Amino acid sequence: MGPHPAVAAIRLAVRRVLHDVLTEHTAALAAGHSATEEPLVLVACSGGADSMALASALAFETRKLPVRAGGITVDHGLQEGSDTRAAEVAARMTALGLTPVEAVSVTVGREGGPEAAARDARYTALDAAAERHGAAAILLGHTRDDQAETVLLGLARGSGIRSLSGMAAISGASGRYRRPFLQLDRQTVRKACIAQELAVWDDPHNSDPAYTRSRLRHEGLPALEKALGKGVVEALARTAQLSRDDADALDTWAADAETAVRDEAGALECDKLHGLPPAVRRRVLRRAVIAEGAPAGSLFARHIEEVDRLITGWRGQGAINLPGRVEARRQGGRLVIRQG
C-alpha cells in the first residue's frame, strides 16, 4: 500500500523542485562553473506543520536523488523559550536525516512593523546560511492559503498588480528560494504531518489578533468564504498567478522602454515618458528611483504617483522627497533623480 494521499502530494511537490535544481546544477557543471557533484538543498523550518511536512518530504526524496539535504531554523528571540524551541526543531530535522542542520539566532528590528522586521531578519539569516553552506536552494513551506492571504494584503495596500501577484514559486538571488507547496492547501500539509506522526509546533503569533496576517487568517478569509462561498482561497491563488504573468510582461516592457526615454547623457526625458502607457511609465520611474538608492521595500505606490505627476501634471511644483534620501525634480524638460 502506498503512502497517505497527503504525504504523496507533498513528496511529489518537493520531487518536482528537486528535479529542477538538479537540471540547473547539471547545466552549471556543463558550462564550467565550479560546483560540488551533489547540490545542497536547505529547508527553512520553523517547526510548524507546513515546514515540518516540507522537511520530511525533502529528507525522503533526497534518499533517491543525488542531492544533499540540510535544514535551517531561525530563532527570532520574540518569545520566551524561543532558543530552546529552536534547538528542538533542529533536533527534529537531524532525526529526519538532514545534515547540515543549524539553529540561527537573529535580532529583529522595528522598521516596517513587527511582521516585516521579523521577515527581513529571517531572510537575511537564510541568505547568510545559504552562502555559508554553498546551498543551491532553500525550500520554504508557504501554501496556497498563505498565497491567498498575501494577495488580500496586497489588495488592502493598493500597491498595484505586482502586490496582487503574491509570492513567486522561485525568488531571491539566482532563484535561491523555492516554494513547492504553493499549489497545496494548508489542510493537506497538516494531514501529511498527522499521517507521518510528525511533532509540530503551532506558533501562538499565528493566532494573535495583534498581527495583521493572523486577523486575516482567522477573521477575514472565513468571512469572505461565508459571504462568497467556498473556493475563495483557490480563486485568490489563481489571481496571483495571472497577475504575476501580467506584471512580468509589463516589467519586461518597462525595461526595454527605459533606454528609449533617456537622452544621450542618460537623463530621463519628460516628453518621451509622457508618451508611455501609465503602467509602463510608472515602472520606468520606479526602476529609476530604486537605481538611485531608494529601498524597494519602502517605496510605495503613492511615492511613484507623486513622481509621475511631475510628468503628467506639471505645474511648476518642487522636488519630491522619497525614501532613502532620494529626490526627484523636473528640470529643463528632464526628470532628475538623485540621492541628496
Side-chain angles (χ1 to χ4, degrees), residues 66-314:
V67 177
R68 293 177 295 133
I72 301 292
T73 186
V74 178
D75 172 19
H76 298 84
L78 298 176
Q79 301 174 39
E80 185 176 350
S82 62
D83 55 342
T84 301
R85 191 156 42 249
E88 291 172 352
V89 173
R92 289 174 190 168
M93 288 192 287
T94 299
L96 287 170
L98 302 182
T99 184
V101 166
E102 268 194 294
V104 181
S105 298
V106 298
T107 299
V108 177
R110 297 183 178 180
E111 188 174 351
E115 292 167 281
R119 182 177 61 250
D120 290 345
R122 180 167 60 254
Y123 277 100
T124 298
L126 293 175
D127 282 334
E131 296 293 337
R132 190 162 55 248
H133 295 289
I138 298 179
L139 306 189
L140 304 175
H142 297 119
T143 64
R144 188 169 64 193
D145 299 76
D146 295 309
Q147 184 73 298
E149 293 162 8
T150 302
V151 172
L152 284 176
L153 289 170
L155 183 63
R157 286 193 297 268
S159 300
I161 196 171
R162 180 55 73 185
S163 284
L164 296 184
S165 64
M167 296 175 285
I170 302 175
S171 65
S174 302
R176 169 174 290 161
Y177 293 106
R178 312 293 173 109
R179 297 177 173 87
F181 291 169
L182 282 184
Q183 301 303 318
L184 299 177
D185 61 63
R186 191 174 288 141
Q187 186 177 21
T188 295
V189 174
R190 187 167 286 275
K191 283 180 179 177
C193 288
I194 295 171
Q196 297 173 97
E197 298 182 344
L198 292 173
V200 301
W201 172 67
D202 290 317
D203 187 346
H205 282 174
N206 289 337
S207 56
D208 187 344
Y211 294 94
T212 304
R213 187 176 286 268
S214 174
R215 294 196 301 274
L216 180 59
R217 179 174 301 177
H218 297 286
E219 300 172 25
L221 269 173
L224 280 175
E225 291 201 332
K226 183 178 180 180
L228 303 175
K230 295 293 183 182
V232 169
V233 168
E234 292 87 343
L236 288 169
R238 188 163 58 251
T239 296
Q241 185 56 59
L242 294 171
S243 298
R244 181 166 297 280
D245 292 343
D246 290 349
D248 287 346
L250 287 168
D251 286 346
T252 300
W253 187 352
D256 293 339
E258 185 172 359
T259 302
V261 297
R262 291 185 182 274
D263 62 17
E264 293 180 355
L268 291 165
E269 298 187 69
C270 295
D271 286 346
K272 290 181 179 179
L273 283 167
H274 197 284
L276 293 175
V280 178
R281 182 177 60 248
R282 287 170 185 158
R283 280 169 165 75
V284 171
L285 296 177
R286 179 179 173 83
R287 286 168 57 91
V289 170
I290 291 173
E292 291 300 323
S298 301
L299 198 60
F300 301 126
R302 66 177 185 274
H303 296 127
I304 302 304
E305 287 168 3
E306 286 295 319
V307 178
D308 194 43
R309 275 193 277 273
L310 295 176
I311 309 299
T312 62
W314 175 242

